[in-house]
Amino acid sequence: MELLGLTIFILLECASYISAQSDLKTSPPAIVKQGVQRQPYRSEDSVELPCKAEGVPPPKYTWYRDDEVLEIGNDLRMTMITGEGTLIISKPEAKDQGFYQCNATNSFGTSLTIKTLLQLANLDRFPSRKPLETHTPEQGSSLKLSCVPPNSFPKARIFWSVVKSGQPFQPVREDARVSKDFDGNLWFGYVDKNDARDGAHYVCMVENPYLKTLVRGEDAVIRPSGTTISSSAVQVLWTSVTNALGLRGENLRLKCIFSGKPTPNVKWERRNGKMPTHRFEGANTELIIPNLQFEDTGYYECIGRNQETLTDGVRKSFSVTVQAKPFWIEEPQDVSAAEEENAVFRCKAGGDPSPFIHWFINGVRITDPNLPKNERRIQRGVHEIRFVNLTAADAQVIQCNASNAHGWVFADVYLNVMSEPPSFIISPKNDKISAGLASYNMTCRIRGAPKPLVWWVKDDTMISGGDKYIIHLMGTLEIMRVQSTDAGKYSCNARNKFGEESSSAELVVREPTRILMSPKSMTVTAGSQAKFICTATTDPDEMGNLKIDWKKDGDFIDYVAAQRVFKNRRDNAVTISGCIPLDTGRYTCVATNGLNTVEATANLLVLAKPEPPTDVSVTRCQGRSAEIKWSPGSDNNSPILGYTVDYNTTFAPSVWYKHDKVIEKSHTETTVQVSPGATFTFRVRARNVIGISEPSAHSKGRCITQPAAPDNNPDNVRTIDKSPTKLWIQWTPMPEIDHNANDFSYSIIYQRLDDGSAPRPPHKVTRFQNRLDYWLDLDVGVTYKPYKLLVQAVNSNGFGPPPTPVIGFSGEGEPNIAPTGFKLDESYAISATEARFTWDVVDPKAATINGWMTGYAIEYARIINGQTARRRRLKVPLAGRKPEDEYAKWKGSQASRGKRQISTMSAIVSNLPPYSHVTAYVRVTNKRYAGPPSNSITINTPEGTPGAIVNLVVVAVGSNHIDLKWDRPDEPNGIIVGYNVYFQEVIKTKDGRNTLGGKQPRLPQITLEPNTNPASYKSRLAGLQDRTKYRIYIHARTRIGEGIENFIEATTRMPEKPGRPDFRITDVGLTTMNVTWLPDQRRPGGGFFVKYRKEGRNYWEHTSVQSNQKWINITNLEPGVVYELQVVSYNGEKHQTGSGTKVAEMLGASAVTSSVASAGWFIGLLVALILLVAALVIVCYVKRKRAGQYPVHEKEVLRGSYSPAESSEPNTNKRFVEYSRGADPALNRSRGSMDSVTKPVESDSDSMDEYGETDPGQYGAKKHDDRGHEGTDPASPAAFSTIV
């Protein structure tokens, strides 16, 4: 890497030096554009001869033709392009042919282009055409068709074509038998009848590619004679020049044309040496050695062999000599030097023969006596000219020409003499670099003549060099092994005899970027994720510039194009998702701060299932085996462990079967077994530890086998019970691959076993369409009789092997016997769902079973309102009886021995409906039918735990409460006495999953009033945290315990200021009153409390916060006192809203009138009042016992929906009693804002949406009416109950 950097730096220095010279004030001319050595032209096209030179002052141009000045102004057809010397000849003529050369001259010298031969392109015609030439060679003999091509410039292309009248040319295809020599003649190694080409003419065609002109030679016809072709030995027909001369750098072509039948094979050899780089054409008849070199000199042989010449063959030798046009060994270069300096020009060329060297000054041969003398010009031998102690007058252009018999090379260079003070081409620039660099170049490029002396100063101290600093040719300072101490001010200084210059710059050195955590190499499987982590640090002042990026296999990743590759902006990790084998490679972390860059590389290896094998082919198909061969596909970085072969047939081309044979990983061919009478196609899969590859393409070729008789018979022969008098024989059909021939069918023979009957004649069953099973349906007229069955495969080539006999039975009938003595086992304790029954055993061998007895079936059902519900069945199998026992007798084997004979059966039924009247009986069963029922019994199951509640929904959500509604269980399994409510917080973990907090009960749990069982219930779960998700569980409860849970999830809302509530005051007494509040419909609040004070006082007293009810009874008040009251809606200490103020006056006398208490009349009045209150209490108690509940009772009275007749019925009112009051409306007094007529405050049918802050029912799945009910009459008092 350092060597590469040094090389680049040297090139830049040289380029800067050249640039500096190109910016000189004066310069001799130098040719920068010129023509080629030989240029064809057409008379109808303009000719352009390029010539352009650079120099200061700009040069003037002169053209020479055949070494004579070309007077361009005297010929209007000739013009030169403005600003250069390029010559344009319009409408060129034949007289314009010749050697052209351009001279470019200014006051410092003359520069010359190479000489260009301008030559008119042409293609002559063939001489006058002769009559059609007919050739009649014997078949098997050789033949030459001659062609003498006309003159052409540039060189023409020769080829042969076959021509038929009215048809386009058809080129003759050359090969080892038919070939063209270098002169254009066409040779036939031997002639056969096809060479007649149905009378077509053979024509030699010559094309000039520059003129795009084609001329046609003489026609020839071949009419072979003879009827057969005999074999013949190899002979040489034609060869190229055997003493071949080739030029270095060009192509050498050697060719041999042989005759012989069969066509000879041609081979080339080099004597005593290795063949150079080469290629062949014309079926090896032509050897081409490109870019010929001196070391290719030697002897080469072409060898022709056929079956008649099998030994050493026929050989032809070629001697190859290599010479060369002149080529540069040391080419002269432009020289710019200052006065009093020296200049050297060297011109050395190679070639064979050795070239002659000729020097020219400003276009004049150095030996020309007319060339001015210059004592400071010294010629040292042929190859060098030296100028010493230069002056400004020595500026000139020097030419060198090297030539031999094969060509020449020409160089045109200048000598420029300069005189100028030092000046900066590039001044030092302020820079910021990283410590730790191997070297750093502070650029300073200076020009001047003579060459200035350059020195550097750092912080006022001269740099002395050594191994720390290097001052380069043009002035650049190279600092080695950069450290932080290298920071400072650097000055570049230059001086020659014409002056002195200086330029300074600041260098800042930062700490380098370092990688702290390098990525780790990993191996993953396809489809998984790979993640590379890389962290880096740098100088604190450069942390803002620190960047980390990633490369794959040396190229930066394009995250838009690589859609599965992601870079994390926070930690700069790169993640490859869904890895595929193409993701395998080197991943490089590139960290940079703009000053230095560091890299760390890790490898990713993605393992995947292999690619499918390729080139699957059938190499042999014989008998019952086929040989398969394939080429392995890519193993996708996990070695292949083996292969499997799949096959399909023409019977089901879309269905592939896996061959059982396991093929080792080292094998790429195998032999598999195939069946007769089928056509097989194969495919192969590869397997590695990751998985199995996709299937290969279908095999090339198929295996077609000859038909044969079936090799086996159908499986799973059996009888099926379809009808009591039918023998239904069934079997699994044989796949077509096992048919082995056409006309496939099944032959079925059956024989009854219990009456000595002879076998019945065979039945033939052919193929059923679209059936998984085949069968034969026979009406035998008897129920459940044994038969021996034989099913055999048959095709056009014969029968399959002898079939194995199978025992079967005709169809079963219904049993004609019922069990007796069916009863409940009193010794077994009956539970809510379980009881044991007993009955008398039935003989399993009884004929009345009409089949094989499998056991018994207990059937039971619930009795509801005198109606029997859907029956359930419990099967009771016979112990110790096996299915094969049915066939044991007829197979000659021993049946299983059952348990000791018993007289009574019993069974436990474990799925009885709890708390129900249940009827049950038992039946006898065989494999198909159940017999008549036994005697029926009825039992009563005790109470159990209930099923799950239904239709659980959230009807409202606040910041610290959730209102719920549900319906009672569909399966109460007893009397519902209440509900248990639990809740858990749903907590989201860091990885996004949900977990549950501790389970907490609602306190108190819900207990129903005796003799109530509402269809729907409502409840509030209060005291919750805001913005928290909860899972709420509800269990119905009987006296036995709680039942199955149902749960729902809901999230409490964010706290907000509640709306302003309203309230009513009722039941005002001597020392107590009842306050009922009406929450705001939109923002009701999660709790409420009452503020009250004596009228005119400043201090307010507070009740406790009520979350689960909408009323409170205030006690310990003073009789006869007027109180001011407010209701406050409460969502925490920061979110409270008070209502307006209302007043209420307590009953009785206030304390200011207590002095009358000592009067006798007052004592009597007080006793009377006490008796009156006692009477009122008794009336209230009676009213309460008669379900005169308040306020629901009163609201129904006001609505006109209350009926005394209804209330007189027991258990009519099943609503939950929230609170009660006396029935005397006269006790309700108020003043100020209180109503003069008492109105109901709350009822069970009031919607709990008043507490809601969400859409009622949004957590439920069913639609509800506007009261939140489902399936019940909203006016019905039993529709639902509010539980608080």
Side-chain angles (χ1 to χ4, degrees):
M1 198 67 183
E2 291 183 1
L3 180 60
L4 177 61
L6 179 60
T7 303
I8 294 173
F9 171 72
I10 293 173
L11 292 175
L12 290 174
E13 284 288 312
C14 294
S16 298
Y17 181 80
I18 293 170
S19 174
Q21 304 311 313
S22 67
D23 195 27
L24 297 175
K25 296 177 180 178
T26 61
S27 170
I31 297 294
V32 295
K33 184 170 71 173
Q34 58 185 333
V36 295
Q37 292 187 10
R38 196 171 187 183
Q39 180 173 335
Y41 71 93
R42 288 188 289 263
S43 58
E44 62 270 19
D45 295 337
S46 296
V47 174
E48 180 177 315
L49 297 173
C51 175
K52 185 178 181 180
E54 294 179 346
V56 182
K60 296 181 180 180
Y61 299 92
T62 304
W63 278 93
Y64 290 81
R65 181 172 64 198
D66 297 331
D67 296 329
E68 294 184 0
V69 176
L70 186 63
E71 298 295 341
I72 295 175
N74 296 336
D75 192 336
L76 297 179
R77 297 179 301 112
M78 297 185 181
T79 58
M80 280 196 298
I81 295 176
T82 302
E84 58 182 84
T86 298
L87 177 64
I88 305 295
I89 306 176
S90 60
K91 298 180 180 179
E93 302 172 1
K95 68 179 183 179
D96 295 324
Q97 298 183 94
F99 286 94
Y100 287 75
Q101 189 173 32
C102 175
N103 290 12
T105 304
N106 70 6
S107 56
F108 296 98
T110 299
S111 182
L112 310 179
T113 66
I114 64 172
K115 289 185 177 181
T116 298
L117 173 60
L118 186 65
Q119 186 173 349
L120 181 66
N122 73 296
L123 174 62
D124 295 343
R125 294 188 175 277
F126 278 90
S128 58
R129 297 176 60 186
K130 298 179 182 179
L132 178 67
E133 185 177 3
T134 302
H135 299 269
T136 58
E138 288 279 342
Q139 289 194 65
S141 63
S142 61
L143 175 66
K144 173 186 176 183
L145 298 182
S146 299
C147 178
V148 181
N151 292 328
S152 174
F153 176 77
K155 185 177 180 180
R157 183 174 74 92
I158 304 172
F159 62 94
W160 284 81
S161 292
V162 176
V163 182
K164 274 190 176 182
S165 178
Q167 297 183 7
F169 295 151
Q170 295 292 329
V172 174
R173 180 176 175 272
E174 296 186 37
D175 53 25
R177 185 179 72 87
V178 180
S179 185
K180 173 172 61 65
D181 63 27
F182 291 169
D183 299 323
N185 304 311
L186 186 66
W187 294 86
F188 293 80
Y190 67 87
V191 176
D192 66 19
K193 61 181 180 179
N194 295 323
D195 294 328
R197 303 279 183 131
D198 296 328
H201 294 188
Y202 287 82
V203 181
C204 177
M205 312 293 290
V206 179
E207 179 187 22
N208 185 314
Y210 180 80
L211 294 174
K212 299 179 181 178
T213 303
L214 189 70
V215 294
R216 174 176 173 176
E218 299 173 355
D219 290 15
V221 175
I222 300 177
R223 293 175 180 167
S225 60
T227 56
T228 59
I229 302 177
S230 301
S231 298
S232 60
V234 177
Q235 294 182 352
V236 177
L237 288 181
W238 179 91
T239 67
S240 56
V241 178
T242 56
N243 292 316
L245 175 64
L247 294 180
R248 173 182 174 271
E250 298 184 356
N251 293 346
L252 177 67
R253 307 173 77 94
L254 305 176
K255 187 163 186 173
C256 293
I257 300 177
F258 293 97
S259 65
K261 177 66 172 62
T263 301
N265 295 319
V266 181
K267 182 180 179 182
W268 290 84
E269 294 178 353
R270 182 181 184 182
R271 291 188 199 168
N272 304 322
K274 181 181 178 182
M275 286 286 286
T277 301
H278 63 279
R279 69 176 189 270
F280 298 113
E281 290 185 1
N284 288 6
T285 60
E286 185 174 349
L287 171 67
I288 301 173
I289 303 175
N291 191 23
L292 193 66
Q293 300 298 318
F294 291 122
E295 56 266 25
D296 297 331
T297 298
Y299 291 92
Y300 296 81
E301 288 185 335
C302 63
I303 307 163
R305 292 189 180 91
N306 66 6
Q307 64 186 20
E308 299 295 323
T309 315
L310 293 177
T311 56
D312 195 35
V314 174
R315 296 174 175 264
K316 188 66 178 179
S317 296
F318 298 84
S319 173
V320 175
T321 302
V322 181
Q323 294 186 354
K325 298 177 182 180
F327 57 90
W328 289 117
I329 297 175
E330 188 172 4
E331 184 178 3
Q333 303 294 325
D334 294 330
V335 175
S336 294
E339 290 183 277
E340 301 178 2
E341 292 182 344
N342 299 334
V344 177
F345 294 88
R346 293 185 178 88
C347 178
K348 191 173 184 179
D352 191 0
S354 296
F356 295 99
I357 305 295
H358 299 283
W359 290 92
F360 300 82
I361 303 295
N362 293 327
V364 179
R365 189 187 292 265
I366 200 170
T367 58
D368 192 322
N370 295 322
L371 183 69
K373 301 291 184 179
N374 187 344
E375 294 180 353
R376 292 186 310 280
R377 182 180 68 229
I378 303 170
Q379 183 171 0
R380 293 187 175 181
V382 177
H383 301 295
E384 181 179 306
I385 292 179
R386 179 182 295 270
F387 294 84
V388 297
N389 196 21
L390 291 171
T391 67
D394 289 327
Q396 56 192 286
V397 180
I398 301 167
Q399 294 88 25
C400 179
N401 183 72
S403 60
N404 67 7
H406 303 301
W408 48 266
V409 290
F410 181 79
D412 182 271
V413 297
Y414 64 74
L415 169 61
N416 192 28
V417 182
M418 303 176 297
S419 57
E420 62 177 309
S423 61
F424 286 95
I425 302 172
I426 302 177
S427 300
K429 299 292 189 298
N430 293 336
D431 203 0
K432 185 166 56 176
I433 63 174
S434 172
L437 298 178
S439 66
Y440 168 73
N441 294 318
M442 180 163 276
T443 305
C444 175
R445 297 192 177 113
I446 301 170
R447 68 182 177 189
K451 181 180 178 182
L453 172 66
V454 179
W455 75 95
W456 281 83
V457 174
K458 176 180 182 288
D459 296 333
D460 300 326
T461 301
M462 180 178 290
I463 293 174
S464 59
D467 61 353
K468 179 64 177 179
Y469 301 100
I470 300 174
I471 300 177
H472 289 277
L473 174 68
M474 292 296 294
T476 293
L477 175 66
E478 183 175 4
I479 305 172
M480 311 301 293
R481 301 176 299 282
V482 177
Q483 301 172 354
S484 58
T485 56
D486 292 326
K489 180 180 179 181
Y490 288 79
S491 298
C492 178
N493 305 272
R495 180 176 64 238
N496 68 7
K497 67 181 182 179
F498 296 108
E500 182 174 335
E501 287 289 333
S502 178
S503 181
S504 300
E506 289 285 344
L507 180 64
V508 177
V509 181
R510 300 293 197 201
E511 288 300 317
T513 302
R514 294 179 296 109
I515 289 180
L516 299 178
M517 178 183 292
S518 300
K520 306 299 182 184
S521 297
M522 63 181 68
T523 300
V524 300
T525 56
S528 60
Q529 175 178 289
K531 183 176 182 180
F532 291 107
I533 298 174
C534 178
T535 60
T537 187
T538 189
D539 190 287
D541 291 330
E542 300 296 328
M543 284 300 293
N545 299 322
L546 180 63
K547 295 180 180 179
I548 296 178
D549 208 348
W550 292 86
K551 295 179 181 178
K552 180 182 184 292
D553 296 330
D555 296 323
F556 281 102
I557 297 172
D558 183 345
Y559 300 102
V560 175
Q563 297 182 0
R564 296 179 294 100
V565 183
F566 308 94
K567 178 185 172 186
N568 190 314
R569 294 183 179 179
R570 292 189 300 175
D571 62 4
N572 295 302
V574 67
T575 301
I576 305 99
S577 62
C579 289
I580 61 176
L582 290 177
D583 294 326
T584 294
R586 294 179 296 107
Y587 289 79
T588 303
C589 170
V590 182
T592 181
N593 60 3
L595 304 178
N596 80 307
T597 300
V598 289
E599 297 183 350
T601 298
N603 294 315
L604 174 63
L605 184 64
V606 180
L607 308 180
K609 62 184 182 182
E611 296 298 322
T614 59
D615 302 326
V616 180
S617 60
V618 179
T619 57
R620 184 181 66 84
C621 177
Q622 186 175 357
R624 297 197 176 201
S625 66
E627 288 184 1
I628 317 299
K629 189 175 182 180
W630 62 89
S631 299
S634 170
D635 63 6
N636 284 337
N637 306 315
S638 178
I640 293 175
L641 302 177
Y643 299 91
T644 58
V645 175
D646 299 340
Y647 66 90
N648 73 353
T649 66
T650 50
F651 304 130
S654 62
V655 180
W656 290 86
Y657 303 93
K658 180 180 177 181
H659 204 280
D660 294 336
K661 186 172 184 179
V662 178
I663 304 164
E664 296 296 329
K665 62 182 179 181
S666 58
H667 295 170
T668 57
E669 57 184 339
T670 189
T671 300
V672 296
Q673 299 303 310
V674 292
S675 59
T679 300
F680 292 85
T681 303
F682 301 92
R683 67 186 189 187
V684 182
R685 297 174 186 257
R687 174 177 54 86
N688 62 15
V689 295
I690 306 302
I692 299 175
S693 73
E694 296 298 318
S696 68
H698 298 181
S699 59
K700 300 174 184 176
R702 299 183 297 176
C703 179
I704 303 174
T705 56
Q706 297 300 313
D711 293 326
N712 45 49
N713 293 308
D715 296 327
N716 202 21
V717 177
R718 60 203 182 278
T719 55
I720 302 299
D721 196 350
K722 292 283 188 178
S723 176
T725 60
K726 297 259 186 174
L727 181 62
W728 193 289
I729 306 171
Q730 193 174 47
W731 61 93
T732 301
M734 294 169 58
E736 287 185 286
I737 192 68
D738 291 336
H739 290 184
N740 290 1
N742 295 326
D743 300 329
F744 184 83
S745 64
Y746 300 97
S747 176
I748 297 94
I749 299 175
Y750 67 97
Q751 177 186 6
R752 184 170 170 179
L753 296 178
D754 63 336
D755 64 353
S757 300
R760 299 297 181 93
H763 288 262
K764 181 179 180 181
V765 176
T766 56
R767 180 179 179 180
F768 292 164
Q769 293 294 331
N770 301 322
R771 295 288 186 180
L772 296 177
D773 291 296
Y774 287 24
W775 67 84
L776 178 62
D777 181 9
L778 302 170
D779 190 354
V780 294
V782 292
T783 300
Y784 194 65
K785 299 301 179 183
Y787 289 84
K788 182 171 74 173
L789 313 173
L790 299 173
V791 181
Q792 189 174 24
V794 185
N795 65 19
S796 58
N797 278 48
F799 287 84
T804 301
V806 174
I807 306 300
F809 292 85
S810 58
E812 293 185 341
E814 293 186 11
N816 295 326
I817 186 172
T820 60
F822 182 71
K823 61 183 178 180
L824 179 69
D825 188 348
E826 300 292 346
S827 64
Y828 187 85
I830 187 171
S831 70
T833 59
E834 188 173 279
R836 184 161 67 184
F837 300 91
T838 64
W839 63 93
D840 297 331
V841 169
V842 175
D843 183 4
K845 298 180 180 179
T848 52
I849 301 297
N850 287 332
W852 179 258
M853 182 174 173
T854 59
Y856 304 88
I858 299 175
E859 296 181 2
Y860 57 95
R862 187 178 182 184
I863 301 175
I864 304 173
N865 297 328
Q867 301 295 321
T868 302
R870 185 177 63 87
R871 290 189 177 274
R872 301 180 184 178
R873 172 179 288 187
L874 173 68
K875 293 184 178 181
V876 183
L878 289 182
R881 226 175 187 210
K882 298 180 180 179
E884 58 267 23
D885 291 344
E886 183 178 11
Y887 307 95
K889 174 182 178 181
W890 310 108
K891 288 183 177 180
S893 59
Q894 186 69 32
S896 300
R897 298 185 65 181
K899 292 186 177 181
R900 181 176 56 85
Q901 292 295 323
I902 57 176
S903 60
T904 302
M905 286 290 295
S906 66
I908 296 174
V909 179
S910 301
N911 196 24
L912 296 173
Y915 204 58
S916 302
H917 299 294
V918 179
T919 179
Y921 52 73
V922 66
R923 298 173 184 262
V924 171
T925 60
N926 57 25
K927 290 186 297 183
R928 183 171 175 79
Y929 298 101
S934 69
N935 58 295
S936 176
I937 64 173
T938 300
I939 64 173
N940 294 320
T941 55
E943 191 173 16
T945 57
I949 64 167
V950 296
N951 303 327
L952 173 61
V953 294
V954 173
V955 297
V957 174
S959 59
N960 53 20
H961 71 274
I962 299 173
D963 292 339
L964 304 163
K965 177 181 175 295
W966 65 89
D967 294 342
R968 64 189 176 197
D970 290 336
E971 297 180 355
N973 297 338
I975 297 174
I976 303 298
V977 297
Y979 295 92
N980 292 349
V981 181
Y982 305 92
F983 62 96
Q984 286 177 293
E985 183 179 345
V986 180
I987 304 168
K988 185 174 289 293
T989 60
K990 292 182 179 180
D991 58 3
R993 296 182 298 108
N994 287 337
T995 185
L996 297 174
K999 200 170 187 179
Q1000 304 177 55
R1002 178 191 186 275
L1003 296 175
Q1005 296 289 21
I1006 301 167
T1007 300
L1008 301 181
E1009 288 293 321
N1011 302 319
T1012 60
N1013 190 14
S1016 297
Y1017 303 90
K1018 288 182 178 179
S1019 177
R1020 166 170 290 188
L1021 185 60
L1024 304 177
Q1025 298 180 18
D1026 59 85
R1027 292 168 291 182
T1028 304
K1029 188 174 184 179
Y1030 289 93
R1031 177 175 291 184
I1032 304 163
Y1033 305 85
I1034 301 181
H1035 306 252
R1037 188 175 74 247
T1038 64
R1039 288 172 293 185
I1040 303 303
E1042 65 181 17
I1044 300 172
E1045 70 180 25
N1046 193 353
F1047 72 89
I1048 197 168
E1049 292 184 352
T1051 303
T1052 54
R1053 300 183 59 181
M1054 181 174 66
E1056 61 180 348
K1057 189 172 182 179
R1060 184 175 181 178
D1062 194 7
F1063 67 98
R1064 293 172 184 160
I1065 303 171
T1066 58
D1067 296 333
V1068 178
L1070 290 173
T1071 59
T1072 63
M1073 71 173 71
N1074 192 78
V1075 179
T1076 302
W1077 45 86
L1078 303 173
D1080 180 79
Q1081 293 296 320
R1082 295 179 57 194
R1083 294 176 288 116
F1088 297 86
F1089 64 89
V1090 179
K1091 296 167 53 177
Y1092 61 94
R1093 67 184 178 184
K1094 294 179 182 179
E1095 191 173 32
R1097 299 285 182 89
N1098 294 326
Y1099 173 75
W1100 292 94
E1101 296 189 63
H1102 300 76
T1103 66
S1104 60
V1105 177
Q1106 301 297 312
S1107 299
N1108 292 329
Q1109 62 187 27
K1110 293 193 293 182
W1111 60 271
I1112 191 170
N1113 192 259
I1114 305 175
T1115 61
N1116 297 323
L1117 302 177
E1118 297 182 16
V1121 175
V1122 177
Y1123 284 88
E1124 295 177 343
L1125 298 98
Q1126 290 183 4
V1127 172
V1128 179
S1129 181
Y1130 179 87
N1131 270 343
E1133 292 295 336
K1134 297 182 180 180
H1135 303 283
Q1136 302 181 22
T1137 302
S1139 69
T1141 302
K1142 295 184 181 182
V1143 297
E1145 182 179 358
M1146 305 304 297
L1147 296 181
S1150 64
V1152 297
T1153 61
S1154 60
S1155 60
V1156 300
S1158 58
W1161 64 268
F1162 178 76
I1163 296 174
L1165 177 60
L1166 184 59
V1167 171
L1169 288 174
I1170 292 173
L1171 292 175
L1172 178 60
V1173 170
L1176 288 175
V1177 170
I1178 294 171
V1179 172
C1180 289
Y1181 179 77
V1182 173
K1183 291 278 289 180
R1184 178 181 180 90
K1185 294 298 287 183
R1186 298 183 62 189
Q1189 296 171 340
Y1190 184 85
V1192 177
H1193 161 73
E1194 187 173 69
K1195 183 173 282 191
E1196 291 174 350
V1197 172
L1198 292 175
R1199 290 177 177 172
S1201 60
Y1202 176 77
S1203 169
E1206 293 177 358
S1207 64
S1208 63
E1209 293 293 328
N1211 297 330
T1212 298
N1213 190 345
K1214 298 181 180 180
R1215 292 163 294 180
F1216 184 77
V1217 180
E1218 295 177 301
Y1219 62 87
S1220 300
R1221 67 167 178 86
D1224 189 353
L1227 293 177
N1228 293 330
R1229 298 178 58 197
S1230 66
R1231 65 177 224 185
S1233 62
M1234 294 188 60
D1235 299 336
S1236 60
V1237 178
T1238 301
K1239 294 184 179 179
V1241 178
E1242 181 181 358
S1243 74
D1244 290 341
S1245 60
D1246 285 344
S1247 172
M1248 284 201 72
D1249 296 345
E1250 297 171 355
Y1251 286 95
E1253 298 178 19
T1254 58
D1255 179 21
Q1258 70 175 9
Y1259 292 87
K1262 297 185 178 182
K1263 294 182 178 179
H1264 296 70
D1265 60 23
D1266 57 357
R1267 295 178 179 271
H1269 303 156
E1270 177 190 357
T1272 59
D1273 182 1
S1276 170
F1280 63 86
S1281 178
T1282 300
I1283 308 301
V1284 296

